[in-house]
């Protein structure tokens, strides 16, 4: 499951990069026209990187895989696969309201899908779930959807406010979350002590 997900995420990043077309001219003004496309690419690259990083750690806390976990993972990959389209549409249209709102919907649904995958893994692990212990109260996971909804609503007033909210949400997650890593290292250490 992890290898398949990594491959899909790598393809998503590649498609986003291929959406940036080389300008036909050789002047700085020709590059200037690509600034919105480039900025939307950078934002999406950061988001996809955040998902890849956290997905990687979450799967290392997963001890077994069920059909529900596989479907939840596919659901997440579906929403992540819409990033190239949403990124391109928003960048090509210079961050206008409708493409920006659509981008927010994709972020929101990817966040919901990630939560559902996390819940499926925790449900499979049962009481005392390593993943549940690691994420604790999960304030980041609870705050992110609220920020995406705020950003979607903000597009009615200004798509630049929405962009600022997207950046804030990304910054919250940008520093890798060490909770799962620490719990995995602790559980391995405890196991080796008992052997």
């Amino acid at each position: 499951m992890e290898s398949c997900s990594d491959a899909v995420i790598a393809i998503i990043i590649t498609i986003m990069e291929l959406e940036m077309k080389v300008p036909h001219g050789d002047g700085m003004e020709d590059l200037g026209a690509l600034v919105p496309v480039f900025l939307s690419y950078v934002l999406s690259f950061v988001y996809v990187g955040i998902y890849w990083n956290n997905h990687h750690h979450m799967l290392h806390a997963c001890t077994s895989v069920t059909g529900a976990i596989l479907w939840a993972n596919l659901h997440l990959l579906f929403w992540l696969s819409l990033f190239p389209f949403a990124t391109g549409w928003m960048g090509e249209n210079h961050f206008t309201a409708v493409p920006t709102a659509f981008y927010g919907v994709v972020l929101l649904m990817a966040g919901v899908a990630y939560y559902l995958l996390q819940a499926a893994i925790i449900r499979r692990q049962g009481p005392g779930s390593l993943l549940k212990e690691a994420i604790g109260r999960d304030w980041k996971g609870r705050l992110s959807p609220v920020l995406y909804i705020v950003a979607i609503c903000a597009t009615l007033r200004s798509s630049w406010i929405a962009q600022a909210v997207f950046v804030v949400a990304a910054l919250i997650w940008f520093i890798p979350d060490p909770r799962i890593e620490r719990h995995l290292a602790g559980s391995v250490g405890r196991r080796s002590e008992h052997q």
Side-chain angles (χ1 to χ4, degrees), residues 58-65 69 121 124-125 130 191:
M58 181 170 55
L59 291 186
H60 279 262
C62 185
T63 54
S64 64
V65 176
I69 291 171
I121 293 170
R124 173 65 179 154
Q125 290 178 338
L130 175 65
R191 267 186 283 172

Side-chain angles (χ1 to χ4, degrees), residues 16-63:
M16 285 190 319
E17 194 278 327
L18 291 174
E19 287 293 314
M20 290 194 302
K21 304 297 182 212
V22 176
H24 294 291
D26 61 357
M28 290 305 289
E29 64 278 358
D30 298 310
L31 279 179
L34 293 179
V35 168
V37 174
F38 178 73
L39 291 176
S40 65
Y41 169 76
V42 169
L43 182 63
S44 292
F45 186 91
V46 168
Y47 267 110
V48 172
I50 289 166
Y51 273 105
W52 174 77
N53 190 334
N54 287 296
H55 186 266
H56 175 78
H57 284 104
M58 181 170 55
L59 291 186
H60 279 262
C62 185
T63 54

Side-chain angles (χ1 to χ4, degrees), residues 27-118:
M28 290 305 289
E29 64 278 358
D30 298 310
L31 279 179
L34 293 179
V35 168
V37 174
F38 178 73
L39 291 176
S40 65
Y41 169 76
V42 169
L43 182 63
S44 292
F45 186 91
V46 168
Y47 267 110
V48 172
I50 289 166
Y51 273 105
W52 174 77
N53 190 334
N54 287 296
H55 186 266
H56 175 78
H57 284 104
M58 181 170 55
L59 291 186
H60 279 262
C62 185
T63 54
S64 64
V65 176
T66 63
I69 291 171
L70 289 172
W71 279 111
N73 192 61
L74 280 173
H75 182 230
L76 172 62
L77 293 176
F78 169 78
W79 289 105
L80 293 180
S81 73
L82 289 176
F83 269 64
F85 174 79
T87 301
W89 193 29
M90 185 172 68
E92 287 289 329
N93 290 288
H94 298 233
F95 306 103
T96 55
V98 174
T100 299
F102 180 76
Y103 187 83
V105 169
V106 171
L107 286 176
L108 174 63
M109 294 310 296
V112 168
Y114 185 88
Y115 172 80
L116 292 174
L117 174 58
Q118 184 176 271

Side-chain angles (χ1 to χ4, degrees), residues 99-168:
T100 299
F102 180 76
Y103 187 83
V105 169
V106 171
L107 286 176
L108 174 63
M109 294 310 296
V112 168
Y114 185 88
Y115 172 80
L116 292 174
L117 174 58
Q118 184 176 271
I121 293 170
I122 291 170
R123 192 170 38 256
R124 173 65 179 154
Q125 290 178 338
S129 162
L130 175 65
L131 182 58
K132 178 66 175 163
E133 286 177 27
I135 61 172
R137 291 157 54 110
D138 195 24
W139 69 270
K140 289 182 181 183
R142 294 174 191 268
L143 178 60
S144 297
V146 172
L147 290 174
Y148 301 145
I149 291 168
V150 166
I152 292 164
C153 294
T155 60
L156 297 172
R157 184 145 178 97
S158 166
S159 60
W160 292 108
I161 294 171
Q163 293 300 323
V165 175
F166 294 151
V167 169
V168 167

